[in-house]
Amino acid sequence: MSLQDEIRRLTAPDILARKGGDPIVALTSYHAHTARLVDKHCDVILVGDSLGMVMHGFESTVPVTLDMMILQGHAVMRGSKRALVVVDMPFGSYEASKEQAFMSAARVMKETGCGAIKVEGGVRMAETIAFLTARGVPVMAHVGLTPQAINTIGSFRAQGREESDWAPIEADAKAVAQAGAFSVVVEAVAEPLGRRITASVAIPTIGIGAGPACDGQILVLEDMLGLSPRVPKFVKRYGDLGPGIEKAVADYAKDVRARGFPGPEHVYAMKGKKP
Ligand code: KIV
């Protein structure tokens, strides 16, 4: 590949510049192999801490560690070339102080090579977001339903279902935008609230269950592929890979149990052996 052919990876400023423009396409990925597939079609790949539930079978994202995020973030960087890779900061790695947040974010960026990090929280995280961005860490914020707060909010239900609940969520989005976040994930809020937030902040909103008015959309890859056991109501299924995988595994098991050779016959033929 010549230097001219080299693909330039999108940056946080590229995504910021998309406010009100072409919709931003984002998906999660936790592995090099899925990153390779997603990278062709997405502007942003989020290495979400949802990996705790999707990959590891935890009940929530709370048990996820910084080391887990770094390992998968590095894998996604190896698998992708074009998309901006954003790595989630896991619960307990950034909330204690802005200094703790910087040390954790610096580790994530150095050890994965990712282009940005994501933190959950609005008004309460604004000072930290300003501290990080002033020190070279591009921050994607996350408001509305913030899954790391599951133990205080009690369930993964949509937020802002009553109009009377909208003001604090809108204030959260405005606070992170003013603090210097380059984009904000808005999760599981009523469609009119998603629209209102998108109109009132100067940074791109990336919706997940927040309606079509957002500047971009994100889904958890395994949810939209039909591979997750529990999927939020707002997720559209674009594939149903579970049965296909199960059938392939069942066929393989059948071959092995019948002492059939689970490899292409020509491999043996080339070596002058019969399978
Ligand atoms: O962890 C994650 O996958 C996320 C998305 C749902 C936005 O935060």
Side-chain angles (χ1 to χ4, degrees):
M1 186 190 269
S2 75
L3 268 182
Q4 284 90 333
D5 292 337
E6 251 174 48
I7 297 161
R8 189 181 81 83
R9 206 184 264 282
L10 292 171
T11 63
D14 293 329
I15 299 302
L16 175 61
R18 298 268 290 271
K19 175 70 189 177
D22 282 348
I24 297 159
V25 184
L27 275 174
T28 62
S29 165
Y30 319 125
H31 325 96
H33 63 277
T34 53
R36 212 165 280 133
L37 302 170
V38 163
D39 189 49
K40 294 190 185 125
H41 305 281
C42 287
D43 304 304
V44 174
I45 302 179
L46 173 68
V47 186
D49 63 350
S50 51
L51 65 79
M53 299 172 79
V54 175
M55 279 178 68
H56 296 273
F58 291 130
E59 284 297 308
S60 77
T61 55
V62 171
V64 174
T65 65
L66 202 56
D67 286 339
M68 288 161 80
M69 296 309 302
I70 289 172
L71 197 61
Q72 304 317 134
H74 200 185
V76 169
M77 283 300 292
R78 282 194 297 269
S80 62
K81 289 191 177 101
R82 182 190 161 269
L84 171 67
V85 173
V86 180
V87 176
D88 243 343
M89 302 286 285
F91 179 69
S93 70
Y94 65 97
E95 305 91 326
S97 67
K98 48 194 196 306
E99 290 79 11
Q100 183 211 21
F102 180 76
M103 294 314 292
S104 299
R107 241 198 97 192
V108 168
M109 294 190 73
K110 277 172 187 280
E111 294 181 33
T112 67
C114 72
I117 57 96
K118 176 164 84 59
V119 297
E120 291 186 9
V123 171
R124 71 181 167 82
M125 287 309 300
E127 199 186 333
T128 296
I129 292 172
F131 188 84
L132 293 178
T133 52
R135 285 161 181 76
V137 180
V139 179
M140 176 181 277
H142 184 151
V143 303
L145 174 65
T146 50
Q148 291 174 9
I150 182 65
N151 290 306
T152 46
I153 59 180
S155 80
F156 292 118
R157 272 158 51 105
Q159 305 292 296
R161 286 145 70 103
E162 306 292 333
E163 200 169 341
S164 54
D165 301 333
W166 289 4
I169 303 174
E170 197 178 350
D172 277 342
K174 285 183 175 163
V176 297
Q178 272 158 18
F182 73 90
S183 61
V184 56
V185 169
V186 183
E187 178 162 355
V189 302
E191 188 273 332
L193 177 57
R195 183 179 301 278
R196 190 151 128 180
I197 290 173
T198 301
S200 65
V201 296
I203 60 174
T205 54
I206 303 188
I208 172 161
C214 294
D215 297 295
Q217 299 289 334
I218 184 161
L219 286 176
V220 170
L221 180 67
E222 284 77 356
D223 288 356
M224 58 91 102
L225 293 180
L227 284 172
S228 301
R230 278 174 302 170
V231 175
K233 277 199 209 108
F234 54 74
V235 175
K236 178 172 169 185
R237 280 258 188 117
Y238 287 83
D240 191 13
L241 301 196
I245 294 177
E246 216 177 309
K247 181 178 178 317
V249 173
D251 289 350
Y252 166 75
K254 209 165 118 195
D255 269 359
V256 173
R257 291 199 178 102
R259 301 213 178 274
F261 174 58
E265 298 199 353
H266 72 270
V267 174
Y268 270 113
M270 266 166 31
K271 291 181 183 157
K273 292 182 188 171
K274 283 267 177 232

